[in-house]
Amino acid sequence: MLRKASLVSLAVTLIVIAGCAEPPTQQIQEAEKALKDAQESGAATYSADEYAKLEGTLTTLRKEVADQDEKFTLFRDYGKAQQLSASAKADSERIKAASAQKKEEAKAAALQAQQVAEEAVKATQDLVAKAPVGKDRAAVEAIKNDVEGLKSLLKQVQASIDKEDYPAAQTQAKAIHDMSQGVSIEIQNALAKVGKRIPTKKK
Amino acid sequence: MALNLIHKTLAAILCVICLTGCVQAVPPDLFVALEAIDQDLIALRAPEAAPEEYGQFVRQWISLKARVQLDDDLIRWPWESSDLENDLRRLYVIGERTVSQLHERHASQHRAAQAKVVRLEEQLHTITSKVESIDGRILLGEKGVQTDLLVKQARSFFEQKDFQRAMQAAEKADHALKAQALLLSRELGRYADESRITYWQTLAKQTIDWSRIHQSTAIVVSKADRELTLYKGGRKVLSYPVRLGFNGMLEKQFQGDGATPEGRYRVTDKRGQGQTQFYRALALDYPNSEDRRRFELAKKSGKIGPAKGIGGQIEIHGADNALLAQTLGCIMLDNSNMAVLYGGVSVGTPVTIVGALTRENAVALALSELAQPREEI
């Protein structure tokens, strides 16, 4: 008799415990927040594939919670949801760190390219000061005009860096560097032809 | 005893059958194949190039992976169907189709971007040479280098296989090229203006008539053709190529603008060796009363800043010292030609400088080519 009563109470306890299963709300919120943090760190740009997978995990998590919510109270089991939340949170943090690192690398590369471009423009400017103001005055003025243009383009590189568009900044800086070199070669060729110049008068 | 042995043997056989008959819910090679599909999609930059398709795939893939990892029923009887395996097979088919579509799209984007970038580079090259031919490089100011930058950016993004950004840069460059053509057309449009050309032709004709009537020498300079022609008794005696100011195609407005003036002038002074740094020079009476009137009008209307001067010392000169030769608005000839011209003219010789003498002048032709509708970038 006593044994029977124990079995009944055990069954009731189990039912109560099972009936009390609650979704891991806090863990889910933490996972959602971790995803948002990862996105803000540039994960969608710098770790696009992993970020997409992370979004997939969150979708799966939401579906799992919804599936369990639909079940009869006694049969709900949020164990998988808990596992998914934990895994999403851990992955988010890892991706956030990786993206931040990749972003820093892209920034460093853009800054490096910017510096190289600035130096190239400066060198070209110095060379323009020695440019022949001789026979082809129009060409020299055109070169000066181009150098002014290059100086102005450097501002665009800075604007791209400010917008954190590092790939654009890098391509701009590279183009400016190439163009500066082109102008420098143009001046050097002119210098080689006619030697050092004497300043001219204005008209 | 024997019966016991038979029972044991049968039980063992049954166990073996059961164990060997059980299969895994998901064949490992299917899982590996899906991993490979995912890698293919990443290699095709699907997360950036086709975020929707990749998102759809990856959501299902993650969900199924989670089921594979979390499901307890990983072992099943061979005759049991597996929903998980079926779902994975379906996803494999979808993934394979997406990879194939992306391959095609990637190849097509590659072709399209390549064609655009190459066409753009060709157009830039053509336009640059046209601009050079009409001394328009300075006129374009920073627009020239800005366009160049965009074209180079398009090339860089293309080489990085970022076709979307390559296209964006190409489109911006195309707009910049159109803006260049518009600017040149606005600044130099008078070279294609019939009434202006008629006016210039009249000026030149009057100068030639004067030469004929007075049986004297007269000079006509056509800026578009960069040509100086000497007339004697109304007849063409010689023609020489000339260089103009660095903004020579423009009409002179103020000191230092590098433009060569247009109008009727006279030689006011002949400067021989020692009197000029340019081998020989024929000083002109710029600014004349018409230039002053125009200058004052432009100043009043605010077209020219109040601090600007009208300039002067416009000459037809040679290049005695090649290192010093300059054309800040003057008309420059090679020394041998200058020597002949210098000997052929006297103080008072009329010098008429016009933009162009024909409708098919070099500037008008270049502008017309620049304005021609180009293939859309």
Side-chain angles (χ1 to χ4, degrees), chain A residues 5 8 13 29 34 46 48 52 68-69 110 113 119 125 160 163 170:
Chain A
V8 169
T13 311
Q29 281 172 349
Y46 295 98
Q68 294 303 324
D69 286 347
E119 283 166 8
Q125 261 182 288
S160 296
K163 279 193 286 178
Q170 222 180 327

Side-chain angles (χ1 to χ4, degrees), chain B residues 66-341:
Chain B
R67 273 172 64 188
V68 171
Q69 282 159 6
L70 299 173
D71 269 358
D72 305 325
D73 52 345
L74 284 176
I75 306 292
R76 62 179 168 88
W77 296 109
W79 56 85
E80 250 186 336
S81 75
S82 162
D83 287 346
L84 187 55
E85 183 182 343
N86 290 341
D87 288 348
L88 284 166
R89 288 202 184 280
R90 266 195 294 276
L91 181 64
Y92 179 78
V93 172
I94 292 170
E96 234 185 3
R97 198 167 54 224
T98 310
V99 167
S100 156
Q101 282 170 349
L102 279 178
H103 257 304
E104 274 174 38
R105 198 187 301 175
H106 193 265
S108 139
Q109 282 177 340
H110 180 274
R111 279 193 303 272
Q114 188 174 35
K116 280 188 183 190
V117 172
V118 168
R119 209 181 310 145
L120 191 65
E121 285 170 341
E122 284 169 1
Q123 284 178 354
L124 178 71
H125 180 72
T126 308
I127 288 173
T128 303
S129 64
K130 291 271 170 254
V131 169
E132 290 279 354
S133 76
I134 56 173
D135 285 347
R137 195 163 148 194
I138 296 170
L139 208 59
L140 289 175
E142 291 173 5
K143 278 195 168 61
V145 283
Q146 269 173 356
T147 311
D148 205 358
L149 176 90
L150 287 167
V151 174
K152 285 189 162 60
Q153 254 194 301
R155 167 60 68 183
S156 283
F157 281 129
F158 171 74
E159 280 168 2
Q160 289 166 21
K161 298 193 191 317
D162 191 343
F163 304 130
Q164 203 181 347
R165 295 200 80 165
M167 297 285 230
Q168 284 168 356
E171 266 161 37
K172 281 188 190 169
D174 188 43
H175 285 133
L177 284 174
K178 282 177 184 149
Q180 282 191 14
L182 269 178
L183 176 68
L184 289 172
S185 170
R186 198 173 62 227
E187 294 294 331
L188 302 174
R190 61 209 181 90
Y191 285 87
D193 178 355
E194 292 218 2
S195 61
R196 185 60 80 99
I197 291 165
T198 308
Y199 168 70
W200 284 330
Q201 285 171 335
T202 308
L203 280 187
K205 188 176 176 300
Q206 287 170 350
T207 306
I208 299 163
D209 287 347
W210 184 93
S211 161
R212 192 183 61 251
I213 293 161
H214 295 86
Q215 285 299 299
S216 186
T217 53
I219 293 170
V220 174
V221 178
S222 165
K223 296 207 302 186
D225 302 313
R226 291 189 189 82
E227 191 176 65
L228 179 148
T229 307
L230 178 69
Y231 291 89
K232 219 172 230 176
R235 292 179 63 190
K236 185 172 164 180
V237 179
L238 50 88
S239 278
Y240 291 137
V242 296
R243 284 168 190 265
L244 304 172
F246 59 82
N247 250 332
M249 289 298 156
L250 293 182
E251 194 170 8
K252 190 156 189 71
Q253 290 191 312
F254 52 85
Q255 183 176 351
D257 63 3
T260 302
E262 291 160 21
R264 272 196 269 244
Y265 302 98
R266 282 189 183 272
V267 173
T268 54
D269 191 17
K270 285 181 72 176
R271 293 168 185 159
Q273 218 158 13
Q275 294 173 297
T276 175
Q277 54 187 346
F278 305 113
Y279 177 66
R280 304 278 188 277
L282 301 170
L284 304 184
D285 60 344
Y286 173 87
N288 60 25
S289 55
E290 175 57 21
D291 295 321
R292 286 184 201 286
R293 190 193 62 80
R294 215 169 25 221
F295 178 74
E296 289 307 324
L297 205 68
K299 247 189 169 177
K300 269 184 196 161
S301 67
K303 215 172 146 190
I304 296 174
K308 298 277 184 197
I310 194 168
Q313 296 182 51
I314 299 293
E315 300 171 340
I316 297 172
H317 60 66
D320 181 37
N321 180 346
L323 310 184
L324 278 171
Q326 60 179 343
T327 49
L328 277 164
C330 294
I331 294 155
M332 192 177 78
L333 285 82
D334 286 344
N335 288 346
S336 55
N337 295 341
M338 188 63 208
V340 178
L341 182 73

